[in-house]
Amino acid sequence: MPQAGKAVRSLIVERIRLLRLLGRSSSGATLGLCAVHLLAAVTPPLTAYAASLVVEAMNAPRPALVPCVVLGVLLLVGEISDQGREGLAHVVAMRVEASVRSAVRRLALAPDGIGHLENSDFADDAMRSADRDSALGRSRSLGSAATGQLTIMFRVLSALASTALLAAYFPVLAVALLVVALFIRSVIRRQWTALAKSLDARAQDQRMVYYLSELAVRGAAEIRVFGLGDWLAGRFRGAAFASAAPTWRRMWPVLRRQWWTVLVLAVCAVAALAVPASAALAGTLPADRLVACLLLAVSLFAITAMGQEAFDIEYGLHAMRALDRLTDRFGTAAAVGVVPRPTGSAPPLIRFENVGFTYPGADRPVFAGLTLTLRPGETVALVGENGAGKTTLVKLLCGLYRPTVGRITVDGQDLATMDPHAWRARIGVLFQDFIRYPSTLRDNIALSAPGQQDDDAVRAALRAAGGDDRDPAFPAGLDTRLWAEGADGVDLSGGQWQQVAIARLLYARQAGRHLLVLDEPTAHLDMSAEADFYRRVIRSVSGTTAILVSHRLSTVRHADRIVLLRDGQVAERGTHSELLTLDGGYARFFRLQAEPFQEEHR
């Protein structure tokens, strides 16, 4: 029993918390929704009373016009309240959902690193707490759960009001009907809402369904060229079946157990009709009171209805618990604010001291005893086979991950003890998968230094990257909207987007960032632009520490120092000529890439 009491208290607390979520919406919309619910709650008992007055007036030698008008008005008010309640509930739910999604975004951005974003538990909880999708007759959102809980609360109030009025004539019958109705509702809720738990357990399959549906849009061209429509549709059906089939299978046993609840409700319905009817036949209950009692009984039994709100609430409780888990884990982290302006006027001295790093859940480390020094103002190229850890090293340097062992120092200070936002304000990064912001050309360049927009500097950075805002590709100059899906937007080729991304990095340098990282900066450039890259870009940022990550060794041959990564450590280091003389792994890679061009000239 103590355990059952604890479960009941926990359930009540969670239901109250759902109602408190309504505070995330505007007060006007929430108060309006409560007013409409209250109107809908009092209308059935008042309608029963008005109907009894109509019957009484018809049996008495006086006009029944006023009672009929009152009854008609109440019926109209009930219909209007139902319609208004649906619209207001949608508005309130949407605002609550927007607030919850904002909270999830803040929690996702709060940690200094990005390791949590690659964790499946985080992804599942983020999806559960902020999902707006729907399936199996229920909406998966905290907003719908909060408005659903409000619906249930006022429905109970309406049932209590009907019970109180019915008890004036038949107290035992009224209390018995209320107890049975609440019991039946509790049983049905437990039977059906268990399906929400079943579906909630398939969060990973649901993420796969969402990914495949997005892939059908983003990869439309490749899917058509390769004729993958049937394959994609099959994978989608398979993922959808894996997600929903266990829940559908659990529906049949629930349906088979409904017979006894239907039987109990039928017995209660007979009692609700028979007891007042017997009194009326015995002459102890007037006809008008008989009508009122029957309508009150019908209103009371409305509490047994299992609407969509029951599923909304059950799934919403899972969503709220997921949000609680995210808040417990990341709620104490400092929220990401405005990136400060760069500090310091010189590039730093950076040392990787016996650094080891292993991704969470991985079997083997990426780095084991990595030692490397990045001297101020030099250009260092990182090369190596796929999986050697080049991009991971960059993310460690940016403070997005922390070493598992060892440390990284900046001018002698441990990077782990530094303010990550202040440190990143000194870094400009061009990742291989750079972001293509759905905004203007100006923003796509200037966002690398927020709050320091200068059109002349933007144009200079674009020209240094090999582009020009007067190019026909930019019909509105810096105001050109780079958004392929917008009616007034334009898209760019891969090489043009690469130029914009490089310009973004160069603009960051002009804004005072003295450590630049370029991860595969020529991946989308043609051979001519690639050949011009070093002269145009790298030499234009002299006095800045530049780190080049590339598979194309022709891009890095002019670097001050080349570092070959292998087996989690620095395998070779030196200039291009020194490494060719060494005749090791770098020389082998270089000859392998140069061989096709040498054969063409033979």
Side-chain angles (χ1 to χ4, degrees):
M1 289 299 293
Q3 204 60 22
K6 184 178 179 181
V8 171
R9 286 194 300 272
S10 176
L11 183 63
I12 293 174
V13 169
E14 288 185 323
R15 296 299 182 99
I16 293 174
R17 289 184 61 200
L18 281 179
L19 291 174
R20 291 177 62 185
L21 285 174
L22 296 171
R24 293 175 177 259
S25 178
S26 66
S27 57
T30 302
L31 290 175
L33 180 60
C34 290
V36 172
H37 269 299
L38 181 60
L39 194 61
V42 301
T43 297
L46 291 178
T47 300
Y49 179 69
S52 71
L53 292 180
V54 171
V55 174
E56 182 183 14
M58 293 176 65
N59 293 329
R62 66 170 186 266
L65 178 62
V66 173
C68 286
V69 170
V70 172
L71 179 60
V73 169
L74 287 172
L75 293 174
L76 181 61
V77 167
E79 186 65 27
I80 293 174
S81 64
D82 285 342
Q83 298 299 322
R85 180 174 52 190
E86 183 177 347
L88 280 172
H90 179 72
V91 171
V92 172
M94 290 291 287
R95 291 179 177 177
V96 172
E97 290 165 14
S99 175
V100 171
R101 289 195 300 275
S102 295
V104 172
R105 283 193 292 268
R106 286 193 297 271
L107 292 171
L109 291 171
D112 296 332
I114 61 174
H116 64 292
L117 300 177
E118 300 171 353
N119 182 280
S120 61
D121 291 337
F122 176 89
D124 289 346
D125 281 341
M127 188 198 73
R128 288 185 180 105
S129 57
D131 194 3
R132 292 177 55 196
D133 196 7
S134 61
L136 297 176
R138 52 88 190 111
S139 175
R140 290 164 40 169
S141 81
L142 273 171
S144 296
T147 55
Q149 184 59 56
L150 191 66
T151 298
I152 295 298
M153 185 183 74
F154 278 99
R155 190 175 291 169
V156 171
L157 290 177
S158 181
L160 291 175
S162 297
T163 302
L165 293 175
L166 182 61
Y169 305 102
F170 304 100
V172 175
L173 175 66
V175 173
L177 291 180
L178 179 64
V179 170
V180 172
L182 292 176
F183 172 73
I184 292 297
R185 176 175 178 81
S186 175
V187 171
I188 295 175
R189 187 191 69 82
R190 283 199 304 271
Q191 289 176 339
W192 284 102
T193 55
L195 301 177
K197 297 179 181 179
S198 173
L199 194 64
D200 185 66
R202 313 298 300 183
Q204 186 170 347
D205 291 325
Q206 293 158 26
R207 285 194 286 119
M208 175 59 73
V209 170
Y210 175 78
Y211 172 77
L212 290 171
S213 63
E214 287 291 300
L215 185 63
V217 177
R218 291 185 287 105
E222 183 171 321
I223 289 169
R224 282 166 172 76
V225 170
F226 290 137
L228 300 178
D230 290 341
W231 176 87
L232 184 63
R235 292 295 296 270
F236 182 88
R237 285 193 298 269
F241 182 81
S243 172
T247 305
W248 286 104
R249 282 194 291 268
R250 294 187 63 172
M251 282 186 177
W252 296 112
V254 172
L255 288 171
R256 288 195 295 268
R257 292 196 299 268
Q258 297 302 302
W259 67 269
W260 71 268
T261 58
V262 174
L263 180 61
V264 171
L265 287 174
V267 171
C268 290
V270 170
L273 176 63
V275 172
S278 299
L281 291 174
T284 59
L285 185 70
D288 57 311
R289 299 296 183 262
L290 172 64
V291 171
C293 290
L294 294 179
L295 291 177
L296 288 171
V298 172
S299 173
L300 192 157
F301 273 114
I303 192 64
T304 63
M306 247 333 250
Q308 179 176 324
E309 68 278 349
F311 291 100
D312 296 344
I313 292 170
E314 188 63 25
Y315 199 91
L317 292 176
H318 291 290
M320 188 167 63
R321 292 163 193 156
L323 184 60
D324 288 343
R325 288 192 293 270
L326 293 179
T327 303
D328 291 342
R329 290 184 61 189
F330 307 111
T332 57
V336 175
V338 177
V339 176
R341 289 180 177 270
T343 57
S345 57
L349 172 65
I350 302 169
R351 287 194 172 95
F352 287 72
E353 300 177 357
N354 196 34
V355 168
F357 178 75
T358 305
Y359 283 102
D363 297 329
R364 55 190 297 271
V366 180
F367 296 125
L370 175 71
T371 298
L372 176 65
T373 299
L374 303 174
R375 292 184 287 271
E378 73 171 345
T379 298
V380 178
L382 299 179
V383 299
E385 296 179 341
N386 290 332
K390 302 183 292 297
T391 300
T392 301
L393 186 147
V394 170
K395 292 180 178 179
L396 286 169
L397 178 60
C398 294
L400 300 175
Y401 296 120
R402 288 190 177 180
T404 308
V405 296
R407 66 173 188 164
I408 302 171
T409 63
V410 179
D411 291 330
Q413 182 180 355
D414 191 340
L415 181 57
T417 66
M418 297 175 62
D419 178 358
H421 306 306
W423 167 237
R424 290 168 193 158
R426 303 170 64 182
I427 305 173
V429 182
L430 168 60
F431 286 110
Q432 183 175 0
D433 297 322
F434 56 84
I435 298 178
R436 305 180 182 193
Y437 296 101
S439 187
T440 63
L441 172 62
R442 176 188 294 104
D443 288 345
N444 267 276
I445 296 174
L447 284 175
S448 61
Q452 305 180 52
Q453 186 169 298
D454 180 343
D455 282 359
D456 291 337
V458 168
R459 292 187 178 94
L462 183 58
R463 286 194 295 271
D468 195 321
D469 65 305
R470 295 168 297 183
D471 191 289
F474 310 119
L478 295 182
D479 293 316
T480 302
R481 287 172 55 82
L482 305 183
W483 183 29
E485 298 181 11
D488 59 342
V490 300
D491 198 8
L492 304 177
S493 67
Q496 289 171 323
W497 267 116
Q498 187 98 55
Q499 288 178 338
V500 171
I502 292 172
R504 186 185 305 161
L505 185 71
L506 297 179
Y507 185 83
R509 170 62 185 89
Q510 294 177 17
R513 301 184 183 226
H514 292 280
L515 174 60
L516 303 183
V517 180
L518 300 92
D519 189 354
E520 298 292 351
T522 63
H524 299 286
L525 299 181
D526 56 35
M527 293 183 61
S528 176
E530 180 182 0
D532 195 42
F533 171 78
Y534 193 90
R535 177 189 62 80
R536 181 182 293 276
V537 176
I538 300 302
R539 292 181 182 177
S540 67
V541 294
S542 59
T544 299
T545 302
I547 301 174
L548 287 173
V549 180
S550 181
H551 286 89
R552 300 185 181 183
L553 302 189
S554 59
T555 304
V556 306
R557 61 184 300 176
H558 298 293
D560 299 326
R561 193 154 47 102
I562 300 172
V563 173
L564 175 66
L565 298 177
R566 186 172 58 222
D567 297 330
Q569 295 182 339
V570 175
E572 300 174 16
R573 70 186 79 193
T575 65
H576 173 72
S577 58
E578 289 171 347
L579 293 180
L580 288 182
T581 302
L582 182 63
D583 198 24
Y586 176 83
R588 185 172 63 256
F589 289 153
F590 185 80
R591 286 194 296 267
L592 187 63
Q593 291 188 12
E595 184 176 352
F597 300 98
Q598 293 172 348
E599 290 179 352
E600 288 182 5
H601 290 285
R602 288 173 184 170

